[in-house]
């Protein structure tokens, strides 16, 4: 890498989306007099009688959760997408709209209200992955579902209203815009080289080792060269898989292990239950073939320099494009050097 870039402003290209990020490493020493976030760090009980997601409790819509022991899925009581609706379109002059349908589900990762992914045991995280697989295959096989978005919002800072360990699955008729961008860039590369874009990127990163955070036999976790969020990471399978449904049992285990280790490092970074949005990107489910697609998961955490200082995407970011201060290499080194044992269990 151009050594000057460690200390001077430059921009980096995201090979998956075709977008650029402005990197300003010289700014990391500026003093912070801005907003400090409140930190709620009470130790949670294993069961909370007021929680909508705990086993046996009654949810807002009056339905009762079963006494589940393993990951449990249900239809989101306040779904953003609905399976049925009037079909139609608007095409009037410059006004354009079309009907959208879909299904939103909630996945409770564990019956234990006090846990989070980094605190769960690997075999229990394997069960979460198997549930994601099952849902991807089940929902994805439906006629009017052409993309299945699996994600987790963790923490108040990410707008998560309930601390019970859970994620969501929103699936819909159209293929969402972030997925379309990644489809297009992977496809162009595939057509030209007949190889996976992300696969070739992983090879380069595994040689350079500058941005690696974790690696095992089947998965790599790294801070992508083009990361936007301060401690953004990407987990990708070494094998060229189009979607989660293709994971074999060894890969499920390796995925669970790297998920646990990465989220432990995140919690250890500022000794807090680290907030983030994470999501899986994979091939659409519209029945077509997507040989170019390479399954991966991204983590977008908002914290910047402590558990109370968050990065804001405002001003320049809103009007021009994303910007970051610490480089991807610095973030990777910090994460790599953190212990693999959770700070509350050390
Ligand atoms: Zn709960």
């Amino acid at each position: 890498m151009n050594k000057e870039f460690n200390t001077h402003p430059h921009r980096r290209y995201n090979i998956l989306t075709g977008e650029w990020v402005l990197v300003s490493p010289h700014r990391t020493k500026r003093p912070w007099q801005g907003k400090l976030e409140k930190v709620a760090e009470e130790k949670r009980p294993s069961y909370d009688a007021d929680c909508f997601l705990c086993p046996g409790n009654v949810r807002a819509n009056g339905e009762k959760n079963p006494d589940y022991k393993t990951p449990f899925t249900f239809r989101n009581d306040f779904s953003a997408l609905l399976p049925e609706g009037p079909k139609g379109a608007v095409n009037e002059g410059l006004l354009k709209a079309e009907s959208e349908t879909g299904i939103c589900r909630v996945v409770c990762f564990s019956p234990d209200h006090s846990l989070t992914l980094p605190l769960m045991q690997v075999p229990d995280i394997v069960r979460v992955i198997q549930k994601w697989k099952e849902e991807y295959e089940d929902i994805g096989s439906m006629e009017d579902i052409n993309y299945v978005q699996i994600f987790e919002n963790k923490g108040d800072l990410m707008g998560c209203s309930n601390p019970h360990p859970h994620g969501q699955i929103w699936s819909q008729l159209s293929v969402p815009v972030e997925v379309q961008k990644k489809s297009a860039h992977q496809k162009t590369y595939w057509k030209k080289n007949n190889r996976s874009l992300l696969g070739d990127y992983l090879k380069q990163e595994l040689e350079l080792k500058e941005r690696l955070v974790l690696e095992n036999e089947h998965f790599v976790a790294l801070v992508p060269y083009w990361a936007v969020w301060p401690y953004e990471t990407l987990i990708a399978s070494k094998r060229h898989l189009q979607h989660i449904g293709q994971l074999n049992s060894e890969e499920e285990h390796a995925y669970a292990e790297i998920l646990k280790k990465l989220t432990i490092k995140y919690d250890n970074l500022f000794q807090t239950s680290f907030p983030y949005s994470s999501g899986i990107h994979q091939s659409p489910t519209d029945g077509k073939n997507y040989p170019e697609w390479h399954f991966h998961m991204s983590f977008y955490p908002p914290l910047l320099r402590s558990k109370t200082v968050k990065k804001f995407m405002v001003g320049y970011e809103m009007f021009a494009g994303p910007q970051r201060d610490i480089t991807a290499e610095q973030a990777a080194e910090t994460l790599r050097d953190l212990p693999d044992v959770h700070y509350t269990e050390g």
Side-chain angles (χ1 to χ4, degrees):
M1 190 180 79
N2 186 337
K3 286 277 182 282
E4 303 279 282
F5 283 3
N6 289 327
T7 45
H8 288 81
H10 59 279
R11 58 186 203 134
R12 297 191 186 192
Y13 182 67
N14 183 331
I15 54 169
L16 290 169
T17 62
E19 288 158 356
W20 294 82
V21 53
L22 176 65
V23 186
S24 319
H26 60 296
R27 274 175 106 230
T28 44
K29 287 184 183 72
R30 78 199 160 105
W32 185 264
Q33 293 188 310
K35 186 171 190 260
L36 298 181
E37 304 295 332
K38 284 204 179 64
V39 186
E41 283 291 311
E42 84 288 14
K43 175 98 179 75
R44 293 200 305 273
S46 295
Y47 169 78
D48 178 348
D50 295 326
C51 170
F52 289 137
L53 303 180
C54 275
N57 288 3
V58 176
R59 298 202 304 273
N61 69 346
E63 268 178 59
K64 190 177 180 214
N65 295 331
D67 187 21
Y68 65 94
K69 307 285 184 212
T70 53
F72 161 63
T73 311
F74 63 90
R75 196 178 70 86
N76 192 318
D77 300 330
F78 305 97
S79 296
L81 292 152
L82 301 168
E84 307 289 340
K87 298 244 188 293
V90 173
N91 254 316
E92 290 165 21
L94 295 175
L95 309 182
K96 188 174 172 172
E98 54 190 34
S99 50
E100 181 68 283
T101 49
I103 295 170
C104 297
R105 290 186 182 166
V106 176
V107 186
C108 296
F109 295 162
S110 162
D112 187 332
H113 185 83
S114 71
L115 295 181
T116 54
L117 282 178
L119 296 172
M120 285 171 66
Q121 300 300 317
V122 170
D124 294 328
I125 302 176
V126 170
R127 288 191 186 95
V128 174
I129 291 166
Q130 288 168 341
K131 184 57 93 180
W132 285 338
K133 266 178 89 163
E134 201 182 299
E135 293 291 334
Y136 175 82
E137 282 166 348
D138 173 38
I139 307 174
S141 68
M142 294 177 191
E143 180 98 12
D144 286 342
I145 298 295
N146 294 322
Y147 193 74
V148 178
Q149 182 58 57
I150 298 171
F151 65 98
E152 179 190 3
N153 286 330
K154 177 168 171 260
D156 297 348
L157 270 186
M158 298 314 287
C160 181
S161 51
N162 189 324
H164 193 105
H166 72 285
Q168 303 194 49
I169 301 176
W170 292 17
S171 56
Q172 65 196 90
L173 182 62
S174 70
V175 178
V177 64
E178 288 302 310
V179 182
Q180 284 189 27
K181 284 183 216 162
K182 290 188 173 183
S183 273
H185 285 86
Q186 291 180 100
K187 192 168 184 172
T188 304
Y189 192 87
W190 181 266
K191 275 193 169 161
K192 192 171 161 214
N193 304 290
N194 207 26
R195 288 194 313 271
S196 155
L197 171 64
L198 201 51
D200 279 3
Y201 172 68
L202 288 187
K203 267 187 216 131
Q204 197 175 342
E205 290 289 19
L206 285 166
E207 271 169 34
L208 291 170
K209 295 192 168 28
E210 286 175 331
R211 283 164 294 275
L212 289 190
V213 178
L214 289 161
E215 184 195 355
N216 63 29
E217 205 186 334
H218 301 289
F219 280 88
V220 179
L222 51 80
V223 179
Y225 187 66
W226 53 84
V228 165
W229 294 95
Y231 292 96
E232 177 176 335
T233 55
L234 181 144
I235 295 180
S237 58
K238 288 187 177 171
R239 193 156 69 93
H240 180 52
L241 306 173
Q242 280 71 59
H243 57 78
I244 195 169
Q246 295 166 325
L247 290 178
N248 62 35
S249 58
E250 247 186 56
E251 287 163 333
E252 287 171 14
H253 187 85
Y255 184 18
E257 254 180 13
I258 212 161
L259 261 176
K260 180 172 170 79
K261 282 191 180 163
L262 180 66
T263 51
I264 284 177
K265 281 177 179 287
Y266 271 154
D267 278 11
N268 287 346
L269 179 60
F270 300 129
Q271 304 229 327
T272 191
S273 185
F274 196 73
Y276 58 73
S277 268
S278 68
I280 292 171
H281 272 153
Q282 52 194 334
S283 54
T285 56
D286 55 4
K288 295 182 192 141
N289 277 331
Y290 291 91
E292 70 275 11
W293 254 97
H294 195 125
F295 161 82
H296 60 280
M297 181 180 203
S298 297
F299 283 78
Y300 301 149
L303 290 181
L304 174 61
R305 53 173 82 193
S306 74
K307 60 181 159 188
T308 54
V309 177
K310 171 188 153 178
K311 174 177 175 61
F312 287 91
M313 288 284 191
V314 295
Y316 183 84
E317 277 102 343
M318 281 177 162
F319 293 102
Q323 181 272 341
R324 62 181 287 127
D325 292 349
I326 55 166
T327 62
E329 296 72 43
Q330 290 165 339
E333 190 183 0
T334 303
L335 289 173
R336 204 164 46 229
D337 290 347
L338 287 163
D340 288 341
V341 178
H342 198 269
Y343 71 95
T344 59
E345 293 173 342

